[in-house]
Amino acid sequence: ALSMFGTTVGLYGIPWCKKSLLLTVLMSVIGASMGILDTGGNVLALNTWGAEAGPHMQALHFSFAVGAFVAPILAKMALGGSDSRDFAVAEKTNQSVLRSVPTTSAASAVSVLKHHLGADFLWSYVVIGTYLLLVSFFFFILYSKSSSARDKSKASLQKCVFAKYHSALISLLFVFFFCYVGAEVTYGSYIFTYAKVFAEMKENEAAALNSVFWGTFAACRGVAIFCAACLYPGTMIVLSIVGSAVSSSCLAFFARSPALLWVGTAVYGASMATIFPSGISWIEQYTVVQGKSASLFVIGAALGEMCIPAVVGYLQGRFHHVPVVMYTALVTSAATVVLFPLMYKLANSPRESSLKERSESEDRKALLSNVGLNEDEE
């Protein structure tokens, strides 16, 4: 509730910013609020549904995929058409004004244009901010009606179920999400440019290829809601990393073929869709996922989202004829293929307490059997 409220405050304030410092502060508030939302949302889903959180976790991240896919389309429908018309009118106005009146009149015409466009953007921020404010109030109401005693009892029951290598598992999953989210954002960000430069596609074809990636990504997350009810999270992760490894290999070595580029992009987007929610559901089966652990997952994902695209952009600028984007997809896929079996091995290592209990039960059975034999002899 607090994170949604903080995002609302930032959205309401951004259209009125006149100073870059204030804009930076408000954008930082929104970024921090969204980070809290990512962490708290995952932990809340796990605490609410426990072992049955798989479909709900997939639905939670499916909503993100739908928003990422639909929001740019809606923004272009709401603002794109009016922008292009306004800029065309402004260009004609400026040319006529510059031919007939002093420069100050041209500046006033531009200011009128900026005011008109600013009003469009203002309403978009206000509408989205109001929607988030309503959701924030809804969560505040849920919080006021929740039972703190029940939450405390739940937490006490979950205290002693840490895995033997809990810290190592959290660290490896941090690296796992770093590679996965970094590869996802890198491919989604650069596939348009790659299609135009390397595949020599037209602009509308490159945009369609980009839509194929995010469309299959969102569609597969929707399908995963139902698959999570009948498949284990580990099974879904294995299918995803195998699909991403195969598709990224084809993209890295045969991406200049238009047909393979389209098919590989679709398979890669579908394969990347379920890894993050399945990873959180999977680790929750073996150890407790508290706020600190979930925040590390989000930090790893955010660092991958920030660092890997920046490095790829720098390398692509240095090596123009090398498909750095495709090689990055291949390397990160190979890293996830190596990391998951290692995490699976550590997660299934028996805890010391369970080994001790098992040995005590075996000793007890042996003693009881000896007592039985003595009674038979007597």
Side-chain angles (χ1 to χ4, degrees):
L2 289 173
S3 65
M4 302 291 273
F5 184 76
T7 307
T8 301
V9 171
L11 289 174
Y12 278 161
I14 282 176
W16 308 102
C17 285
K18 301 291 186 181
K19 301 291 184 181
S20 60
L21 179 61
L22 180 59
L23 180 62
T24 303
V25 170
L26 290 177
M27 292 298 292
S28 300
V29 169
I30 292 177
S33 300
M34 290 183 176
I36 295 171
L37 180 65
D38 284 344
T39 305
N42 291 318
V43 176
L44 185 60
L46 292 175
N47 289 344
T48 303
W49 290 286
E52 300 177 353
H56 305 283
M57 190 70 68
Q58 297 290 345
L60 175 65
H61 290 270
F62 170 66
S63 65
F64 161 78
V66 171
F69 179 70
V70 173
I73 299 175
L74 296 179
K76 187 169 183 178
M77 290 172 59
L79 302 173
S82 61
D83 289 354
S84 59
R85 289 195 303 270
D86 291 334
F87 280 119
V89 172
E91 185 178 358
K92 293 179 182 178
T93 304
N94 289 339
Q95 290 175 358
S96 60
V97 167
L98 287 172
R99 285 196 299 266
S100 57
V101 294
T103 309
T104 53
S105 299
S108 64
V110 174
S111 65
V112 170
L113 170 66
K114 288 182 178 179
H115 176 75
H116 180 65
L117 295 179
D120 288 341
F121 282 105
L122 170 64
W123 280 111
S124 65
Y125 276 94
V126 169
V127 169
I128 298 173
T130 303
Y131 169 73
L132 293 181
L133 184 62
L134 294 175
V135 177
S136 174
F137 285 155
F138 179 74
F139 274 104
F140 276 121
I141 294 172
L142 286 179
Y143 174 75
S144 64
K145 293 184 176 181
S146 64
S147 173
S148 58
R150 184 172 63 242
D151 295 338
K152 287 180 181 178
S153 64
K154 233 183 229 186
S156 63
L157 288 175
Q158 291 180 346
K159 280 183 180 177
C160 299
V161 289
F162 286 99
K164 181 179 180 181
Y165 300 103
H166 175 81
S167 299
L169 276 172
I170 299 301
S171 302
L172 288 175
L173 204 59
F174 173 92
V175 180
F176 185 87
F177 285 148
F178 176 89
C179 297
Y180 155 70
V181 176
E184 170 199 319
V185 174
T186 299
Y187 197 87
S189 301
Y190 290 112
I191 185 58
F192 178 83
T193 305
Y194 176 89
K196 289 182 64 178
V197 175
F198 285 91
E200 298 180 351
M201 288 184 176
K202 297 178 181 178
E203 187 168 340
N204 58 347
E205 293 178 343
L209 184 67
N210 194 7
S211 299
V212 165
F213 175 77
W214 289 113
T216 54
F217 184 87
C220 194
R221 276 198 171 175
V223 174
I225 298 174
F226 306 98
C227 294
C230 56
L231 292 177
Y232 291 112
T235 305
M236 298 180 67
I237 293 176
V238 170
L239 293 174
S240 297
I241 61 177
V242 169
S244 63
V246 173
S247 58
S248 62
S249 300
C250 295
L251 289 170
F253 298 110
F254 307 105
R256 294 188 183 274
S257 170
L260 281 176
L261 182 59
W262 285 95
V263 175
T265 298
V267 175
Y268 190 67
S271 301
M272 300 290 280
T274 62
I275 293 181
F276 193 88
S278 297
I280 297 177
S281 300
W282 174 81
I283 193 65
E284 199 269 339
Q285 294 178 336
Y286 298 96
T287 188
V288 177
V289 180
Q290 296 175 331
K292 293 181 180 179
S293 303
S295 65
L296 285 176
F297 301 158
V298 175
I299 291 172
L303 285 176
E305 181 180 357
M306 180 178 67
C307 297
I308 295 182
V311 173
V312 170
Y314 172 77
L315 294 176
Q316 192 66 74
R318 293 289 302 273
F319 307 101
H320 301 285
H321 302 291
V322 179
V324 180
V325 177
M326 300 305 177
Y327 290 156
T328 302
L330 178 60
V331 170
T332 51
S333 296
T336 57
V337 169
V338 172
L339 284 171
F340 184 70
L342 180 59
M343 291 189 297
Y344 184 82
K345 180 68 176 177
L346 292 177
N348 285 277
S349 298
R351 292 187 294 273
E352 293 179 358
S353 58
S354 63
L355 288 175
K356 186 177 180 181
E357 290 175 0
R358 189 183 305 168
S359 62
E360 288 179 353
S361 63
E362 290 176 354
D363 293 340
R364 192 177 298 111
K365 287 179 181 179
L367 288 172
L368 289 174
S369 63
N370 289 335
V371 170
L373 286 174
N374 293 332
E375 289 176 352
D376 291 339
E377 289 175 358
E378 291 175 356

